Amino acid sequence: MRSAILNRFVQKVAQIVQTEGAACFSLGVADNRLHPQAVVSRRDGITRDSIGHVDIDRENPFSRAVADALSRKGPVVLTETTRIDRLTVQPPVLVMPIVWEREPLESEEEPIQRPVGVLTLWAKRDGQYNEDDYKLAETLSNQAAALLVEEQLDEFDDIQAAFSTVPVGLMLVSPQDEVLVANAAAMHVIGLDPLQGRSVMGIDYGEQLTGLIAGVREGGNGYAAASFTSRDNQTYAASAQVTQEGQVILAFTQNPFSTAAEELTGQVAHELRTPLTVIQGNLQTIDAMIEFGIQPEDQEIITEFIDTALIQSARMFRLIAETLNISRIHAGKELELEVEEFDLVEALNQILSELADYLMSHHLDVQAPDRLIVEGDRGKIISIYDNFLKNAAKYSDTGTTITIRVYEDGDDAVIAVTDQGIGIPSEALEKIGKEAGFRTDLSKKQAGGIGLGMVYTRRVTEAHGGRMEIESTVGEGSTFRAMIPKTQPEK
Ligand code: ADP
């Protein structure tokens, strides 16, 4: 559905591009981020930069123009040279908000206007935008809003149908905290029918939910849970998860799961979504390019998109294996190793490309030989890198350095990851990787997590006959080290 609409819109934008220069459109503003769906220009076709997010930060002139256009619900012309994602763009840049408007409900006076994104035009040949350009941009932005709503309504029907089959109370809440979809079980929990169209604040005891929603939006891992007391004094486990568009899914259960299992499920779902988003985005872009007509020079970009999608699918397989292994450990079973000979440095390069998005905002200092051949379970050892690196990024500020060292020490191969992050109090060092679910108080303030990654990492290291060490100073940073014998005993 989305790609069909996207294609139609790409073609529209392309018409401007034919005559004027470049155009970009971004649909969907969530979590203070734009989610650009396409950046097109006459010279480059659809560029690599069409995938990813643009952070709206007030320092960047483009971000300021976007924020102004969205808050004023009117066009803004930017006269400075600016950066949009990774492109440097010459002025003047016309930023036109895409605003969705809904007729007022009976209880409301004003129509509801909701900015859903921006359409941006730049590189106009003769410099200035005239009345005709404004009109064209406005027409396109209205069409985009209409297409988005059409798509969203279809999507809501699908979601409603899916929700109605589940015996758990489910609600989908917009970035503006309005209930978009709710199933019968949710209406029963809340005691209101219909729920759709209401603001969460307007619900009895709704402040418990707004608290949960605010928590999940601000928290690091996109998932939060709390108990919810209904009007008739029943207690439910309420969990919240943020979608890519900044909507929140609320689920209400009367304790069918233990909290740990629920948290693990939430975490896994969240982890899997990241690679899946890349895969889907790349495929959609290739799809749009095919529609657009592939040029010989696009070949390279397409190959790159496919390669990235393949890398991320490999990552999904590993994450699924990791989850299954964690539940096996939980059930008291031993980890089984599939030992092979492999290059520890090549494995590092693989995980660095898989984690490119996670690590983008940090400086990386990689110190490794050209090759280091070891015997071990390649997939599980990649999980060691994965967990060390993700934690280093999660528990340190952006812009700081993460150092990765791979080296030999006698009979051992060593993987060491050092961050300049929050650090770990000395009394907590003992517990990390040993007690499932253990998290330091410092880290609880910082970001979401469930305290299983290090338990797995330690188990994997020990199953190889190795050991894990942590050194840390609060406020300065930590070093996590896995020391693994280079050869494994014959079975
Ligand atoms: P999670 O990060 O999902 O909570 P882990 O098992 O990976 O689970 O880590 C357990 C705990 O160890 C974390 O919650 C955090 O308290 C602490 N920790 C792990 N890595 C770091 C790090 N690089 N810096 C500071 N604390 C860390």
Side-chain angles (χ1 to χ4, degrees):
M1 186 66 196
R2 181 172 283 270
S3 83
I5 288 174
L6 216 57
N7 284 343
R8 271 156 72 193
F9 199 56
V10 166
Q11 279 161 8
K12 290 253 180 280
V13 179
Q15 287 164 7
I16 316 178
V17 178
Q18 298 299 322
T19 50
E20 301 291 357
C24 127
F25 65 93
S26 313
L27 306 180
V29 187
D31 324 328
N32 266 351
R33 285 172 145 201
L34 284 174
H35 297 265
Q37 303 288 342
V39 178
V40 290
S41 77
R42 205 158 39 123
R43 253 178 310 117
D44 310 332
I46 298 177
T47 70
R48 177 81 181 84
D49 304 283
S50 61
I51 297 298
H53 311 287
V54 180
D55 283 314
I56 303 187
D57 78 284
R58 282 254 151 204
E59 299 298 309
N60 177 303
F62 174 63
S63 294
R64 275 200 305 270
V66 169
D68 286 352
L70 290 174
S71 62
R72 272 199 254 150
K73 301 194 183 74
V76 170
V77 175
L78 183 66
T79 50
E80 298 160 62
T81 300
T82 185
R83 287 187 71 77
I84 301 180
D85 205 354
R86 271 158 280 174
L87 297 178
T88 302
V89 170
Q90 298 301 329
V93 178
L94 173 60
V95 182
M96 180 67 77
I98 300 175
V99 182
W100 172 69
E101 194 170 303
R102 162 163 83 60
E103 287 301 307
L105 292 177
E106 267 170 46
S107 55
E108 298 158 347
E109 315 257 300
E110 302 280 329
I112 305 287
Q113 288 194 328
R114 182 186 300 162
V116 286
V118 293
L119 170 74
T120 310
L121 304 182
W122 73 81
K124 180 163 164 62
R125 275 213 210 106
D126 56 5
Q128 296 308 312
Y129 291 100
N130 56 33
E131 273 307 302
D132 285 346
D133 296 322
Y134 279 103
K135 278 205 195 101
L136 184 58
E138 202 175 74
T139 311
L140 277 170
S141 105
N142 289 339
Q143 279 172 355
L147 286 170
L148 270 178
V149 172
E150 186 189 305
E151 181 192 18
Q152 215 173 39
L153 290 178
D154 280 353
E155 215 176 87
F156 288 170
D157 284 347
D158 294 346
I159 295 174
Q160 183 79 56
F163 277 14
S164 66
T165 61
V166 182
V168 169
L170 288 173
M171 262 159 74
L172 180 71
V173 175
S174 75
Q176 292 74 27
D177 294 353
E178 176 198 350
V179 180
L180 299 170
V181 183
N183 67 0
M187 291 189 267
H188 176 77
V189 172
I190 305 290
L192 281 174
D193 182 3
L195 264 175
Q196 207 151 341
R198 289 179 197 265
S199 126
V200 176
M201 255 335 260
I203 293 173
D204 269 347
Y205 299 93
E207 69 280 9
Q208 300 173 70
L209 298 179
T210 39
L212 182 62
I213 293 174
V216 75
R217 287 197 204 287
E218 282 152 26
N221 73 346
Y223 177 80
S227 68
F228 171 74
T229 310
S230 66
R231 196 163 39 168
D232 53 0
N233 219 10
Q234 299 273 352
T235 306
Y236 293 87
S239 58
Q241 185 137 7
V242 190
T243 71
Q244 212 193 331
E245 282 86 19
Q247 297 165 341
V248 173
I249 299 174
L250 290 175
F252 302 89
T253 51
Q254 257 181 325
N255 199 22
F257 296 118
S258 73
T259 317
E262 200 178 322
E263 285 194 353
L264 180 61
T265 319
Q267 180 89 354
V268 169
H270 177 72
E271 284 272 321
L272 290 179
R273 219 170 30 202
T274 315
L276 200 51
T277 308
V278 177
I279 296 170
Q280 192 188 31
N282 285 13
L283 293 180
Q284 280 177 343
T285 310
I286 294 171
D287 187 29
M289 287 174 91
I290 290 170
E291 189 92 0
F292 208 65
I294 296 181
Q295 306 300 317
E297 63 269 23
D298 293 338
Q299 203 62 43
E300 209 176 300
I301 300 173
I302 292 185
T303 312
E304 199 184 315
F305 274 24
I306 292 177
D307 285 350
T308 320
L310 287 173
I311 288 173
Q312 293 301 328
S313 348
R315 175 170 172 74
M316 285 186 76
F317 275 114
R318 219 194 40 261
L319 290 173
I320 290 168
E322 185 171 321
T323 312
L324 292 175
N325 287 331
I326 289 177
S327 44
R328 278 194 201 121
I329 293 176
H330 205 60
K333 295 190 184 140
E334 283 298 307
L335 265 187
E336 282 175 25
L337 299 184
E338 286 174 36
V339 176
E340 60 181 318
E341 215 176 65
F342 69 96
D343 180 358
L344 201 57
V345 180
E346 189 262 337
L348 170 64
N349 290 332
Q350 177 178 328
I351 191 71
L352 289 177
S353 23
E354 285 180 21
L355 291 180
D357 278 356
Y358 278 94
L359 301 174
M360 189 160 77
S361 314
H362 286 81
H363 298 292
L364 288 190
D365 178 6
V366 180
Q367 302 177 15
D370 291 340
R371 271 158 76 81
L372 207 177
I373 302 296
V374 294
E375 285 173 12
D377 187 321
R378 184 171 183 277
K380 294 195 179 70
I381 289 180
I382 291 186
S383 290
I384 300 180
Y385 280 129
D386 195 341
N387 283 301
F388 281 177
L389 287 168
K390 262 188 319 205
N391 280 352
K394 191 157 74 171
Y395 299 117
S396 66
D397 285 337
T398 57
T400 58
T401 299
I402 297 174
T403 308
I404 308 148
R405 289 190 198 91
V406 179
Y407 55 93
E408 289 179 84
D409 183 12
D411 291 336
D412 287 339
V414 183
I415 294 174
V417 174
T418 304
D419 63 54
Q420 300 174 329
I422 57 174
I424 299 165
S426 53
E427 66 279 9
L429 285 175
E430 260 303 289
K431 298 186 177 162
I432 291 174
K434 289 189 184 149
E435 282 180 28
F438 176 78
R439 308 183 57 209
T440 67
D441 289 341
L442 283 177
S443 72
K444 283 183 194 161
K445 278 182 222 140
Q446 191 90 4
I450 56 170
L452 285 179
M454 283 304 116
V455 174
Y456 184 64
T457 307
R458 185 180 288 269
R459 287 296 189 95
V460 168
T461 311
E462 288 172 0
H464 282 86
R467 59 188 206 287
M468 191 172 115
E469 268 180 15
I470 312 172
E471 278 166 36
S472 185
T473 308
V474 170
E476 287 183 16
S478 315
T479 296
F480 282 74
R481 228 176 265 121
M483 281 146 306
I484 300 170
K486 281 180 287 186
T487 53
Q488 293 293 313
E490 297 254 351
K491 285 235 161 151

